[in-house]
Amino acid sequence: MRLSRMYLPTLKEDPADAEIISHKLMLRSGMIRKVTAGVYAYMPLGFRALKKVENIVRQEMDGIDAQEILMPALQPAELWQISGRWYAYGSEMMRLKDRHQREFCLGPTHEELVTTLAREVRSYRDLPIILYQIQVKFRDEIRPRFGVMRSREFIMKDAYSFHADRESLAAVYASMHQAYGRIVKRCGLNYRSVQAAGGLIGGAVSEEFHVLAETGEDTIIFCSECDYAANLELAASRWHLLPNEEPQPLSKVETPGKIAVSDVAKFLDVPSSKLVKTLLYKDKSGELFGALIPGHRSVNPAKLTLALGREVALLDKNEFNIYPQLTYGYIGPIGLHGIKLIADTSLKQLYNFIVGANESDHHYKNVNLERDFTPDAWGDIIYAEEGDICGQCGQGELRKLRGIEIGHIFQLGTKYSEKMGITFVDKTGKPKPFIMGCYGVGVSRLVAAAIEQKSDERGIIWPISIAPFHVHLIAVGKDEKVKETAEELYNNLLAEGVEILYDDRSISAGIKFAEADLIGLPLQVIIGKKFLETKKFEVKERENGELTEVPFESIIGWLKDKIHSELRLVNEEPNKEKA
Ligand code: ATP
Ligand code: MG
């Protein structure tokens, strides 16, 4: 493509509303344009990168015998009413009505729809089946941000598998896991797969794939010793052993106006870890629960939900008025009647701690378990923190990384097939609901994540496998001979099938170089006055700035070899392993 013909609206300055690097660079390099909050158009350069990622994803899916289909974005409400998710999805679902007032949504995901498509699978002999699509999804995110990273309309690859038994599901899940690893590797990125919480999609076994980047919205916890890695949402941890203490007599102390843990600790001259906080939660029916955790830690709502087996919300300060027996700021487990208490397991090691006395301006000191109160239940309900002991091996220490979730795989089970009554005939001739898995890749997010992981102060640094073009040919100066040579090289490279962008514009060399670095194609071929003397092209590698002088005669072969060998490094044989 000639730059003089290409629609490449670049920006010199960082756009004001872009917070992270990838968003800034995607706008500045003219890859995307905002249409409205969380809705973007892909411009020619951006669309090329998107298609590169799509193709890698497609090859890896085809490689494990997943079959590509295309489902509609427009879905009737009835499907979601049968599965029960029409309400559960809440305001993240984009809803609309047709002219007959029938309700629809624009699909945030396709479990319901794809399940109905399996209706015609009759026998266990036809299983497993894996279907996938690369298609647009709609989610009315509370905070659309970071450009296409968290948008309201985005491209997802979603795959769904149907099985007769758990073993078959586990096998396909394992090959998906492998394929996902290959997808991210082939995009040239560092990643980590971690255990994850099922969320709204559901399912017990699930893992996320994260591209590692400082600006990632997710926190990944991993062990320094074993292979444990999990999303912070569910990461399990243990504590370093604390010394035993001789229990001291319980006493009530005055703590006038001291509510915050740090204030109470300071006032009583003890570390915050000596305090135990009691936080009150309410479930849908209005039942209250007290969650007891160490003073210097915070409740992990996802873990609390799991431990209690129901959704709960923190009691709002205003709601305390409804319950005269509750004293805001001084809640504690002793004498808190009629409220079920769940305590974090780390408290089992604590002696002589401090709790609220359920009375204004007072706390209890030297509180001890069993003697002074007994929780109704124990559970791991706090956020894991760096330095905690690994919950899996009990040896290593936990560490933290930031990541961008670009994929999520689930062993779903029969959640959808059962609710929707979609069955096959098993070996014994009986109808059985399908056992299912589902597997998503944020294709558009993956493009942004690549830029987030690889860029410098001058612009994008494309991994070769997903670069919009491989070569950026830059002709410098007004010399006719230079121009002629550049034209000839451009045409020859095109004829050889090299993906090339040719800056043939009559503008300053400075602008050309700055733009070349901004849009970040892997190989810049520079031809200027110097070429007329040396008959050598200057090739600059965008990633490391390395310069190589390549003679006129060998430039085509040199570029083709370079591109092929770099691509080979990331593109080993597509995964042939069968599910
Ligand atoms: P997140 O926790 O980031 O909201 P999710 O758990 O809602 O993601 P899934 O439902 O598992 O995501 O969707 C599969 C993939 O789609 C995600 O791994 C992510 O890469 C991508 N994705 C999800 N929401 C968005 C969005 N709003 N914009 C772009 N990509 C998204
Ligand atoms: Mg989400």
Side-chain angles (χ1 to χ4, degrees):
M1 184 81 210
R2 287 169 188 278
L3 252 172
S4 62
R5 303 296 314 134
M6 182 157 174
Y7 187 37
L8 184 71
T10 57
L11 307 172
K12 284 211 182 62
E13 305 294 330
D14 280 341
D17 62 343
E19 295 165 68
I20 58 168
I21 304 277
S22 59
H23 189 194
K24 287 179 192 167
L25 289 176
M26 288 180 87
L27 287 167
R28 282 191 52 205
S29 65
M31 286 178 67
I32 55 167
R33 283 296 177 260
K34 180 173 167 177
V35 176
T36 184
V39 181
Y40 289 83
Y42 285 84
M43 307 297 271
L45 190 76
F47 193 48
R48 285 186 72 103
L50 185 73
K51 282 191 291 185
K52 288 275 176 90
V53 174
E54 268 187 32
N55 278 334
I56 290 176
V57 171
R58 183 172 284 117
Q59 283 170 11
E60 290 300 331
M61 288 299 104
D62 293 348
I64 56 169
D65 283 352
Q67 304 167 68
E68 188 167 8
I69 59 171
L70 184 59
M71 291 181 268
L74 190 64
Q75 302 183 20
E78 296 87 76
L79 279 182
W80 295 78
Q81 283 155 354
I82 300 171
S83 76
R85 284 207 297 181
W86 184 250
Y87 304 101
Y89 233 101
S91 19
E92 207 171 291
M93 185 183 262
M94 293 274 194
R95 296 157 203 264
L96 66 159
K97 283 188 183 147
D98 71 4
R99 61 174 77 205
H100 308 293
Q101 302 304 307
R102 282 192 289 252
E103 290 187 293
F104 289 81
C105 72
L106 294 174
T109 176
H110 280 70
E111 282 80 14
E112 282 79 357
L113 210 157
V114 80
T115 304
T116 66
L117 298 183
R119 194 169 269 138
E120 286 152 275
V121 175
R122 297 275 173 238
S123 154
Y124 70 95
R125 286 190 204 88
D126 304 328
L127 297 173
I129 286 174
I130 315 171
L131 301 174
Y132 81 96
Q133 64 173 348
I134 297 176
Q135 188 241 21
V136 65
K137 294 277 183 281
F138 296 86
R139 292 184 185 178
D140 198 357
E141 299 277 354
I142 298 186
R143 271 196 76 195
R145 58 188 174 151
F146 305 152
V148 300
M149 194 82 92
R150 182 169 296 284
S151 49
R152 299 197 295 169
E153 174 176 334
F154 59 97
I155 309 286
M156 195 200 286
K157 183 287 297 177
D158 43 328
Y160 306 88
S161 62
F162 298 87
H163 310 267
D165 53 49
R166 288 265 162 198
E167 291 68 38
S168 164
L169 170 62
V172 167
Y173 182 87
S175 59
M176 276 287 174
H177 193 285
Q178 262 198 350
Y180 270 48
R182 293 178 50 85
I183 287 168
V184 205
K185 258 196 263 168
R186 286 185 59 189
C187 289
L189 303 171
N190 289 326
Y191 77 98
R192 200 124 193 180
S193 68
V194 306
Q195 293 178 17
L200 268 183
I201 309 255
V205 179
S206 107
E207 277 155 289
E208 292 167 353
F209 288 74
H210 289 263
V211 164
L212 304 178
E214 285 294 317
T215 47
E217 283 188 288
D218 283 80
T219 301
I220 297 167
I221 297 284
F222 66 98
C223 175
S224 60
E225 301 299 323
C226 74
D227 63 357
Y228 184 71
N231 192 311
L232 178 65
E233 277 182 357
L234 107 166
S237 66
R238 289 190 216 163
W239 284 39
H240 291 272
L241 274 182
L242 297 176
N244 285 357
E245 280 177 38
E246 197 54 46
Q248 303 295 316
L250 180 72
S251 67
K252 197 190 270 181
V253 289
E254 275 194 53
T255 47
K258 308 294 177 213
I259 289 179
V261 167
S262 54
D263 292 341
V264 179
K266 199 165 155 205
F267 184 76
L268 297 176
D269 196 22
V270 293
S272 301
S273 55
K274 264 288 180 204
L275 267 75
V276 168
K277 289 191 270 200
T278 308
L279 295 149
L280 294 180
Y281 288 82
K282 199 169 76 173
D283 74 3
K284 270 197 197 126
S285 73
E287 186 177 353
L288 294 181
F289 295 87
L292 276 78
I293 62 162
H296 61 314
R297 289 304 188 96
S298 29
V299 167
N300 178 330
K303 283 191 190 175
L304 182 64
T305 301
L306 272 180
L308 291 173
R310 64 185 90 187
E311 296 273 349
V312 288
L314 191 63
L315 201 64
D316 193 71
K317 189 177 172 184
N318 304 323
E319 291 177 275
F320 276 73
N321 306 332
I322 313 169
Y323 308 96
Q325 77 276 29
L326 302 178
T327 315
Y328 181 79
Y330 295 91
I331 301 293
I334 303 175
L336 194 64
H337 299 298
I339 296 180
K340 282 221 175 75
L341 298 177
I342 178 161
D344 187 72
T345 37
S346 63
L347 297 184
K348 286 185 179 168
Q349 290 201 56
L350 283 191
Y351 297 88
N352 301 322
F353 51 88
I354 294 160
V355 301
N358 297 313
E359 179 183 330
S360 267
D361 304 329
H362 286 83
H363 279 79
Y364 281 116
K365 217 170 107 169
N366 295 328
V367 179
N368 286 284
L369 284 162
E370 310 298 336
R371 186 190 72 185
D372 303 322
F373 78 97
T374 304
D376 301 283
W378 291 95
D380 174 13
I381 56 172
I382 58 175
Y383 278 112
E385 282 184 16
E386 219 158 4
D388 285 353
I389 304 283
C390 171
Q392 178 172 285
C393 70
Q395 303 288 324
E397 280 197 357
L398 296 182
R399 308 251 186 280
K400 261 187 196 174
L401 275 175
R402 304 290 295 177
I404 300 167
E405 183 200 316
I406 56 86
H408 199 166
I409 58 177
F410 301 80
Q411 292 192 16
L412 279 177
T414 55
K415 177 171 170 179
Y416 296 93
S417 50
E418 213 165 293
K419 281 218 173 101
M420 305 181 75
I422 299 200
T423 57
F424 66 97
V425 175
D426 77 357
K427 272 186 189 147
T428 63
K430 287 205 197 83
K432 277 257 179 71
F434 291 102
I435 294 170
M436 291 171 59
C438 74
Y439 320 86
V441 171
V443 176
S444 39
R445 183 182 284 183
L446 191 43
V447 175
I451 299 175
E452 207 56 45
Q453 194 177 84
K454 297 200 185 275
S455 72
D456 62 15
E457 63 295 342
R458 282 168 294 141
I460 302 172
I461 300 176
W462 284 113
I464 194 150
S465 53
I466 57 173
F469 298 88
H470 295 146
V471 176
H472 195 141
L473 174 61
I474 305 168
V476 178
K478 294 207 171 75
D479 196 293
E480 275 308 311
K481 186 80 186 111
V482 165
K483 201 141 192 224
E484 246 170 58
T485 316
E487 287 285 328
E488 189 188 332
L489 180 61
Y490 171 62
N491 286 319
N492 289 340
L493 285 171
L494 269 189
E496 292 284 335
V498 173
E499 297 181 27
I500 179 169
L501 187 64
Y502 168 33
D503 198 345
D504 59 340
R505 297 170 301 175
S506 319
I507 54 167
S508 83
I511 296 179
K512 287 188 177 184
F513 291 141
E515 263 192 23
D517 281 350
L518 173 64
I519 69 176
L521 305 181
L523 296 167
Q524 299 174 9
V525 178
I526 299 148
I527 165 165
K529 267 236 173 75
K530 207 167 132 202
F531 172 82
L532 297 176
E533 296 148 28
T534 61
K535 294 283 180 280
K536 282 178 178 159
F537 295 98
E538 206 167 41
V539 182
K540 182 179 126 179
E541 289 176 49
R542 176 64 181 95
E543 183 162 21
N544 49 25
E546 213 169 274
L547 290 172
T548 311
E549 293 205 328
V550 184
F552 177 75
E553 317 77 61
S554 48
I555 184 75
I556 294 178
W558 190 95
L559 286 172
K560 284 177 71 177
D561 284 351
K562 180 84 184 164
I563 293 164
H564 287 151
S565 65
E566 301 255 316
L567 278 175
R568 207 174 313 123
L569 275 183
V570 287
N571 267 359
E572 311 134 32
E573 278 288 283
N575 195 359
K576 286 286 185 296
E577 191 180 316
K578 291 287 178 284

